[in-house]
Amino acid sequence: MKLHQTMFCMLTIVIIIAGSFGIDKQKLMFSTYNYLKEIDLDTGVVQKLTSQNEQVYSLAYDIKERYMYVPKYDTGDIVRFSYPTNHTVMSESIVTTSSPFGISFDSVNRHLYWTELSSTGMIKRCNPDGSNVTVLLSEIKPTALALDIQHRWIYYGQEQNPSKIFRTNFDGMDKTIIINYVASYVYGIGVDVDAERLYWMEYEMGDLRSAWYNGSDVKTIISTNATDNNLNIDINGDFIFYTSNNQIMKIDKSLGQNPTVVHTDTEKIYGFLLYKQDGENTIIKIL
Ligand SMILES: *[C@@H]1O[C@H](CO)[C@@H](O)[C@H](O)[C@H]1NC(C)=O
Ligand SMILES: *[C@@H]1O[C@H](CO)[C@@H](O)[C@H](O)[C@H]1NC(C)=O
Ligand SMILES: *[C@@H]1O[C@H](CO)[C@@H](O)[C@H](O)[C@H]1NC(C)=O
Ligand SMILES: *[C@@H]1O[C@H](CO)[C@@H](O)[C@H](O)[C@H]1NC(C)=O
C-alpha cells in the first residue's frame, strides 16, 4: 500500500511537471483521397480529422491565426479551418479557382501562395481570408511550390516531361531557371534554409534529389524505384520525409540510405505537413 502511494505520488508529480512545461509533440497532417488525418510521430497514433473525396497535393499552415489551408484539386476550392480545435473541423472555402496544387503560407507578409496546374497555369497569392487574389505569373503546368521565407524566393516545379525547376521572387518577378533538366514531373519540393539547398522528388523514377540554391552540385539522395508513386516531400532538420504510395518515409538527408517507414495507410497518401504542437494544443512551429 505504501509503495503504491509513493508511486502514485511520483506519477502525479511527473504529470504536473509535464503539464506545466508543455510537451512538444512532433506531428504530421496528411491527405488521402478520402480523409485528412493527423499522426503523432512520437506515439504513432493516427486520428481522422475530416472526410473528403479529393486529391489534396499539399497543405499549408498559418501559425499566427492558427488556420490550416487545404487546396482541393478536383473541385478547385481552397479551404481553411481553425486548427488545433476542440470542435469538429469546420472548413470554409476562401478561394474558388481551378486545380490548385502546391500551397504555402508566407508568415512574414501574411500571404497565401499557390500554383494552379494547367497548361495555362498560374502562380497566385491572396490574403489569409482569401481576399485580393493576385496573379504573380503564368507558367506551363506548375506543381509543387516552396517558399524560402528568409531570402524571399519561391521555388516551384512542373508537370512536364522533362521539366524544369524555377525560382521567382515573392512578387513573381526575376524568374530564373534553377534546374534546367529534370527527367519527369516534380510534385514535391522543399528548401533547407540552413544548408541553402533545394530538394525535390522526381515522380516517374522516384528519385529524391538535391542541389545548392543556385542549381549546382545535383545529388541523388535515394532512388526509391517506386515509379509513379512518390508525391510530396518535407524537410525537418537532418531528415527528409516523403510519400511513397500509401506510406510516409523518412530518410537522413546527408547519408541518404535506409529510409524508415513513418506510417502505412490503407490509402495512397497525397500531401502532408510536419509541425510541432505544444501541450496546450497550439502549433508552435512548422518543421
Ligand atoms: C481546448 O479546451 C481546453 C480545455 O477546455 C482549453 O484549455 C484549450 O485552450 C482549448 N483549445 C482551443 C484551441 O480552443
Ligand atoms: C492587393 O494586392 C495588391 C497587389 O499585390 C497590393 O498592391 C494591394 O495593396 C493589396 N490590397 C489589399 C487590400 O490587400
Ligand atoms: C553555387 O553555390 C555554392 C554554395 O554556395 C557555391 O560553392 C558555388 O560556387 C555556386 N556555383 C555557382 C556556379 O555560382
Ligand atoms: C533502386 O535500384 C537501384 C539500381 O538497381 C539500386 O541501386 C537501389 O538500391 C534501389 N533502391 C532501393 C531503395 O531499393
Side-chain angles (χ1 to χ4, degrees):
M1 193 63 197
K2 219 172 178 143
L3 183 64
H4 280 137
Q5 278 175 349
T6 312
M7 284 183 65
F8 179 75
C9 191
M10 283 168 68
L11 192 64
T12 310
I13 289 168
V14 169
I15 290 169
I16 288 168
I17 290 171
S20 55
F21 285 99
I23 303 171
D24 292 351
K25 284 171 178 263
Q26 295 207 43
K27 289 194 166 185
L28 189 156
M29 188 169 295
F30 64 94
S31 59
T32 65
Y33 189 74
N34 288 301
Y35 296 101
L36 271 188
K37 297 183 191 175
E38 173 204 77
I39 178 166
D40 181 323
L41 294 178
D42 302 316
T43 62
V45 172
V46 178
Q47 207 186 335
K48 282 177 188 167
L49 293 176
T50 59
S51 54
Q52 57 184 18
N53 293 103
E54 270 293 341
Q55 299 175 85
V56 171
Y57 288 95
S58 59
L59 297 163
Y61 190 73
D62 170 11
I63 286 190
K64 188 161 171 251
E65 301 290 342
R66 298 211 228 156
Y67 280 109
M68 188 68 73
Y69 288 89
V70 183
K72 299 195 162 187
Y73 183 77
D74 301 294
T75 54
D77 282 333
I78 297 176
V79 305
R80 72 171 182 179
F81 56 85
S82 289
Y83 190 80
T85 174
N86 284 339
H87 322 285
T88 320
V89 166
M90 306 265 279
S91 294
E92 56 168 331
S93 174
I94 56 156
V95 170
T96 301
T97 182
S98 170
S99 50
F101 192 99
I103 198 166
S104 201
F105 194 85
D106 172 21
S107 52
V108 176
N109 287 336
R110 307 197 48 69
H111 286 130
L112 184 70
Y113 285 83
W114 72 93
T115 60
E116 294 182 4
L117 172 53
S118 70
S119 44
T120 53
M122 283 176 231
I123 296 182
K124 295 182 181 173
R125 76 157 172 242
C126 67
N127 292 332
D129 63 358
S131 63
N132 207 22
V133 173
T134 307
V135 177
L136 300 193
L137 55 83
S138 299
E139 184 62 75
I140 301 162
K141 297 197 165 186
T143 50
L145 156 148
L147 304 181
D148 174 352
I149 305 237
Q150 252 174 44
H151 305 94
R152 314 300 293 163
W153 294 113
I154 301 171
Y155 293 88
Y156 62 95
Q158 245 183 333
E159 188 188 83
Q160 287 282 91
N161 205 344
S163 68
K164 295 176 173 35
I165 292 174
F166 301 91
R167 187 185 80 181
T168 177
N169 74 11
F170 274 46
D171 294 316
M173 316 289 268
D174 294 338
K175 179 176 120 177
T176 50
I177 296 167
I178 298 295
I179 306 291
N180 196 39
Y181 182 88
V182 179
S184 73
Y185 308 161
V186 172
Y187 293 143
I189 200 161
V191 293
D192 184 346
V193 176
D194 298 330
E196 304 211 329
R197 284 185 81 86
L198 185 68
Y199 296 82
W200 69 93
M201 178 61 85
E202 301 186 6
Y203 183 65
E204 277 167 7
M205 298 311 292
D207 289 340
L208 180 61
R209 297 214 154 97
S210 88
W212 293 117
Y213 275 172
N214 58 21
S216 67
D217 188 35
V218 175
K219 281 183 181 154
T220 301
I221 292 156
I222 186 174
S223 294
T224 66
N225 305 329
T227 52
D228 294 346
N229 271 314
N230 303 152
L231 292 166
N232 207 195
I233 70 167
D234 205 353
I235 298 159
N236 175 20
D238 289 338
F239 295 96
I240 305 169
F241 290 65
Y242 61 91
T243 70
S244 192
N245 195 15
N246 64 332
Q247 294 191 311
I248 295 172
M249 313 291 288
K250 177 183 173 182
I251 191 167
D252 190 302
K253 73 186 177 198
S254 56
L255 300 173
Q257 50 196 350
N258 300 329
T260 53
V261 178
V262 173
H263 173 64
T264 301
D265 208 78
T266 50
E267 292 183 273
K268 177 175 176 165
I269 296 164
Y270 284 81
F272 70 96
L273 185 73
L274 287 161
Y275 52 91
K276 216 179 229 186
Q277 188 170 353
D278 80 3
E280 280 107 41
N281 269 340
T282 311
I283 291 175
I284 49 174
K285 202 175 171 196
I286 297 298
L287 296 170

